Amino acid sequence: MSNALAPKQRRAAVGGKRRLLSRGDNPLVRAVGHLPANVHTKLLIAFVGTSVLLVAVGLLGLRVLGQSNDRVASLGPLQERAFAYGQLQRDASHIRALLAEYPGRDLYKFWTGISHGERRDVVAVDKAVVNAVARFGPGTAADRLGFIPPPEDERSLVRMRLKAEHLSTLMPRIIELDLLPERGERWLILRQRAERLATDLYQEAAVLANGAIAQIDDLIARNASSYARSRNLFIGVAVGALVLALLLGFVLSWSVIGPIQGIDSRLAAIASGDFAGHVEVENRDELGALAANVNHMNDELRRLYTELEEASRHKSEFLANMSHELRTPLNAILGFSQVLRDEMFGGVNDKQAEYLDDILSSGQHLLSLINDVLDLSKVEAGQVELDVRPFSLREAVEGGVVVVREQASEDGIQVSFAADPDADMVEGDERRIKQVILNLLSNAVKFTPAGGKVDVSTTRVNGEVRISVTDTGPGIAASDRDRIFDEFQQTDAGVEQGEGTGLGLALSRRFVELHGGRIWVDTEPDAGSTFVFTLPAKAASS
Amino acid sequence: MRRLLIAGAVGLMVISLTACEDSGSSSAAQAALQRDADSWAIDQIEKDFHQATTMKDIELMMSLWAPNATFTVGPGETATGQDEIRRFWLEKSIAFKSATHWISDHPGYKVEITVNGDRGTLHFECHYVDYDTGTIAAVTVADQDVARIDGRWLITNMVGGTTTLSP
């Protein structure tokens, strides 16, 4: 229970390091988990939200395109107007320039470097002015312009028309004076008026033309500015939508994955026998319900496991006690039977001797069974303490070989032992290791038919000491390979032989595992068996 | 969470308002202010023009012209480009002669300026006073097209004329 902090404690513990985008314990993820909706609804809302953002971006793009289209559409008429007004400006400039061809006397005082014009030239140029003015007036009408001018432009155009008419009435009088030998002050004043009118025409036309061009420039500038603003806005909204979508995806996924990981960790702990903790999922959806059920299952399993442990302990205690109570009278039976069989207190007939042998044989079998049960009970009850010290593995194996060799010889089985000098001295409980070796050798001899052989070997492999017992017996079926190491499990051949208790291999495995080693069998039906067990490197020294 | 939601909503509102903002450029007040500034800059051309002719400062004069400007005076006398215009002033105008002692004066109320965007017109009258004799030596007028080029208002076309001295 020590690792199962309450949620508030956990949050306080990580509070200093908590970040908004930390995966598991962050406020956004927790808040989404707290929403009272099922996972399906949450996912649906997220997808709809993202879709709405995409639609918003699309609508925004359409709006920007529409505005741009409107501006482009208004640019055409404006250019047409600017061109027409520009033409008026050029015509007015032409008139003004013609009148400047023969300016008044003061100009020659100022521009001493320019030449004076001839009289006939004056008439010709002034007639050209008349023609130009005659063309200018009608050019201000809407039908000649090619469009209906706006009201404010129309007022300027009317003024220009009136001034052009005034100029056209003035020019014939100037031409009359052009032809006189002495033009006089009157001529000069009329020319000044004509120049003033031409200047006015020019300024009016320039204002119109420049105004139209300015509007075009402004439209283009506004279009460029609007494009930049729209582009930035579009990018901003798109980035915002992307960030929001990522945030939604992150938060939703972790509001689902976080609880699943927590539940997975708890289930893994339960599978390994740890019922101490609880999974903390604050979601108010299916995952929250699942976590609650996992916790309920955890509690129920813990209760059952505790009960089972208690029952197992009672069983082991019972077996240990019973084994002890059984062995005491059995020793008396065996001892007195042996005394009678040895005829220490007088002779027995053949029948009596035969019955005494049966008593001794059955008693030995029962004692062996009781000893195994007692050992197993001690192991399960955790009462076995290994007496670890260095011993010669070679001598231990040779001792076992000696024990089984007599029986093997009687059955016509050859027993051999190959010892690796590098795998001689090991550290462990010599008595328990000898018990394992003897068990494997006894099994090998028992299941090997006459004429067969049993090979024992020791080797050092990857820092481990490996002890192998190989026989030429019937082998073991694949379905039996794992269960033969469990308590009271025997192969069909073992059952048929009617010997053994089904505890030898189970005890061997317990003893090997107590030393930190492994035990297994390599076997195929009708191809013999090789039982192997190891002692780990830390327990082995050469 | 609530604060985050509010912040998100405010952000979206700002984005929406920005999107709905009128795409028009400067306000009317800004436009009027710009027009006044442009008129003042164009009026400055007229002042510099008269200062240049009075002080015989050809560099100041040439600083008022656009690179490809045209200048027309008298019968067929048109100068194009800075070099021709510079020669025109130095070789054909009495104002830049060393023996001339004229002050270029001008009636401010006769100055006419129009502005439309980056283009405009400028009209003014010049009264050249000979300060040796104390008399008015010449009265002229000038009609000019002006344009804003690289941020500066410059003369792009000028036509010189004449007038009589009158109120």
Side-chain angles (χ1 to χ4, degrees):
Chain A
M1 286 293 216
S2 59
N3 61 345
L5 292 174
K8 281 184 180 176
Q9 289 174 302
R10 269 211 319 274
R11 283 199 289 277
V14 298
K17 295 177 181 175
R18 194 165 58 203
R19 290 177 294 139
L20 191 64
L21 291 181
S22 64
R23 293 189 300 182
D25 185 25
N26 80 47
L28 276 176
V29 173
R30 280 210 320 278
V32 171
H34 264 290
L35 289 176
N38 58 33
V39 175
H40 171 75
T41 305
K42 289 174 187 174
L43 288 174
L44 200 62
I45 289 171
F47 285 128
V48 168
T50 308
S51 302
V52 166
L53 286 173
L54 285 174
V55 170
V57 170
L59 288 176
L60 190 62
L62 284 177
R63 184 173 180 274
V64 168
L65 282 175
Q67 288 174 342
S68 179
N69 186 55
D70 291 346
R71 282 190 289 270
V72 170
S74 63
L75 194 59
L78 210 51
Q79 284 178 322
E80 187 183 6
R81 206 189 310 167
F83 180 79
Y85 292 161
Q87 187 59 46
L88 284 179
Q89 185 187 10
R90 282 189 291 278
D91 291 345
S93 177
H94 179 61
I95 293 169
R96 180 68 185 85
L98 285 172
L99 286 169
E101 289 283 311
Y102 286 90
R105 59 195 172 188
D106 278 1
L107 198 68
Y108 295 112
K109 291 178 186 172
F110 188 85
W111 297 103
T112 54
I114 64 174
S115 58
H116 293 230
E118 296 300 327
R119 182 172 297 176
R120 56 184 172 82
D121 296 335
V122 176
V123 176
V125 170
D126 285 346
K127 284 186 175 177
V129 172
V130 172
N131 292 335
V133 172
R135 285 196 304 273
F136 186 87
T140 58
D143 58 335
R144 292 285 291 275
L145 290 169
F147 57 88
I148 305 297
E152 62 273 20
D153 291 2
E154 181 60 36
R155 282 192 289 276
S156 294
L157 290 167
V158 169
R159 279 198 302 272
M160 289 162 68
R161 212 172 298 141
L162 291 174
K163 285 178 180 175
E165 285 172 7
H166 188 187
L167 186 57
S168 64
T169 59
L170 208 56
M171 288 312 295
R173 295 160 62 189
I174 292 173
I175 293 172
E176 282 177 20
L177 295 173
D178 285 344
L179 298 170
L180 295 176
E182 289 296 327
R183 291 166 181 155
E185 198 67 23
R186 175 73 180 158
W187 178 82
L188 188 61
I189 290 171
L190 287 177
R191 286 204 69 87
Q192 288 164 353
R193 284 183 189 170
E195 284 189 9
R196 181 65 252 181
L197 285 170
T199 297
D200 288 349
L201 283 180
Y202 178 77
Q203 284 187 343
E204 292 275 9
V207 166
L208 285 181
N210 290 342
I213 291 171
Q215 285 183 52
I216 290 173
D217 291 345
D218 181 54
L219 196 63
I220 291 171
R222 275 196 292 132
N223 197 41
S225 167
S226 177
Y227 166 74
R229 206 167 43 248
S230 300
R231 181 198 58 204
N232 294 341
L233 178 64
F234 195 78
I235 291 172
V237 171
V239 169
L242 187 65
V243 168
L244 209 55
L246 284 174
L247 193 66
L248 274 175
F250 171 85
V251 170
L252 268 176
S253 62
W254 275 107
S255 74
V256 173
I257 293 170
I260 288 176
Q261 285 184 337
I263 292 169
D264 180 59
S265 300
R266 185 83 289 272
L267 288 174
I270 290 171
S272 65
D274 172 17
F275 305 103
H278 267 180
V279 59
E280 298 294 344
V281 174
E282 299 172 21
N283 286 32
R284 294 163 67 183
D285 50 25
E286 294 94 328
L287 293 167
L290 178 63
N293 284 333
V294 167
N295 287 335
H296 180 66
M297 180 186 76
N298 178 82
D299 294 344
E300 191 62 19
L301 283 173
R302 180 170 53 193
R303 187 183 64 76
L304 292 172
Y305 189 77
T306 305
E307 287 179 0
L308 203 60
E309 270 190 330
E310 190 69 13
S312 179
R313 192 173 60 78
H314 286 152
K315 180 204 74 173
S316 297
E317 285 178 356
F318 171 77
L319 285 175
N321 291 336
M322 284 305 294
S323 299
H324 178 73
E325 295 301 327
L326 286 171
R327 198 161 52 173
T328 304
L330 188 58
N331 281 332
I333 293 170
L334 284 172
F336 288 122
S337 299
Q338 190 64 52
V339 167
L340 292 174
R341 183 64 183 88
D342 291 344
E343 297 179 351
M344 292 175 69
F345 298 104
V348 294
N349 59 31
D350 290 344
K351 200 66 181 175
Q352 287 171 330
E354 184 187 341
Y355 289 158
L356 283 171
D357 285 340
D358 288 344
I359 290 170
L360 278 170
S361 172
S362 298
Q364 289 293 348
H365 179 71
L366 190 56
L367 181 61
S368 172
L369 178 63
I370 289 169
N371 282 337
D372 285 351
V373 168
L374 187 59
D375 284 344
L376 199 61
S377 301
K378 283 182 176 174
V379 171
E380 287 185 345
Q383 294 175 351
V384 172
E385 289 187 7
L386 297 178
D387 180 18
V388 178
R389 61 183 65 184
F391 68 94
S392 169
L393 184 62
R394 182 182 54 77
E395 289 177 5
V397 175
E398 282 176 349
V401 169
V402 167
V403 170
V404 299
R405 182 162 281 155
E406 184 182 349
Q407 182 64 47
S409 299
E410 288 177 5
D411 295 343
I413 299 167
Q414 183 183 347
V415 179
S416 65
F417 172 43
D420 181 354
D422 289 338
D424 187 7
M425 294 303 292
V426 297
E427 277 192 347
D429 188 327
E430 184 176 3
R431 189 170 70 84
R432 300 299 186 187
I433 297 300
K434 275 183 175 176
Q435 197 172 335
V436 174
I437 294 168
L438 189 59
N439 176 260
L440 296 181
L441 280 170
S442 301
N443 284 345
V445 170
K446 186 164 65 181
F447 292 108
T448 301
K453 50 179 192 170
V454 173
D455 296 324
V456 188
S457 65
T458 59
T459 53
R460 178 179 281 268
V461 179
N462 296 329
E464 285 182 331
V465 169
R466 186 171 291 185
I467 301 97
S468 305
V469 179
T470 304
D471 63 51
T472 57
I476 301 168
S479 58
D480 292 336
R481 279 175 208 158
D482 291 329
R483 68 181 185 91
I484 56 173
F485 291 103
D486 293 337
E487 292 82 1
F488 301 107
Q489 297 295 323
Q490 285 184 294
T491 63
D492 292 342
V495 174
E496 284 172 11
Q497 289 225 353
E499 295 181 19
T501 59
L503 289 174
L505 286 174
L507 265 175
S508 296
R509 187 184 68 172
R510 297 295 182 106
F511 289 148
V512 168
E513 287 176 352
L514 279 175
H515 281 81
R518 297 170 292 132
I519 185 168
W520 70 93
V521 62
D522 297 325
T523 179
E524 291 293 335
D526 301 326
S529 304
T530 299
F531 283 83
V532 186
F533 73 93
T534 65
L535 294 173
K538 65 178 182 180
S541 63
S542 52
Chain B
M1 179 64 182
R2 190 176 300 164
R3 265 181 292 179
L4 276 169
L5 282 175
I6 291 170
V10 169
L12 284 174
M13 206 181 296
V14 168
I15 289 172
S16 306
L17 287 174
T18 312
C20 296
E21 186 192 357
D22 183 15
S23 59
S25 58
S26 56
S27 64
Q30 285 176 318
L33 188 65
Q34 183 62 46
R35 225 172 11 253
D36 288 347
D38 291 337
S39 296
W40 183 88
I42 294 169
D43 190 46
Q44 202 61 30
I45 292 175
E46 174 259 331
K47 290 178 172 60
D48 289 342
F49 184 93
H50 291 98
Q51 183 181 352
T53 50
T54 300
M55 307 300 292
K56 301 179 178 57
D57 187 343
I58 189 63
E59 298 305 330
L60 176 61
M61 173 60 80
M62 293 316 300
S63 70
L64 308 177
W65 296 78
N68 295 315
T70 55
F71 181 22
T72 301
V73 175
E77 294 283 354
T78 299
T80 304
Q82 288 250 347
D83 292 341
E84 283 188 20
I85 293 170
R86 177 187 289 267
R87 279 200 300 277
F88 207 85
W89 281 110
L90 292 176
E91 295 170 6
K92 299 185 178 181
S93 164
I94 192 172
F96 281 85
K97 304 296 182 190
S98 58
T100 305
H101 300 133
W102 287 3
I103 293 173
S104 177
D105 200 3
H106 60 97
Y109 68 92
K110 289 188 177 180
V111 174
E112 294 170 16
I113 295 170
T114 67
V115 183
N116 287 98
D118 290 336
R119 291 173 180 78
T121 61
L122 171 63
H123 170 89
F124 58 78
E125 195 170 301
C126 305
H127 299 170
Y128 290 99
V129 179
D130 185 337
Y131 60 82
D132 288 338
T133 62
T135 58
I136 294 176
V139 180
T140 61
V141 291
D143 295 302
Q144 291 146 104
D145 292 330
V146 292
R148 180 174 18 225
I149 298 171
D150 294 334
R152 283 191 65 212
W153 284 96
L154 297 171
I155 302 166
T156 57
N157 178 46
M158 177 173 168
V159 177
T162 186
T163 187
T164 49
L165 190 61
S166 62

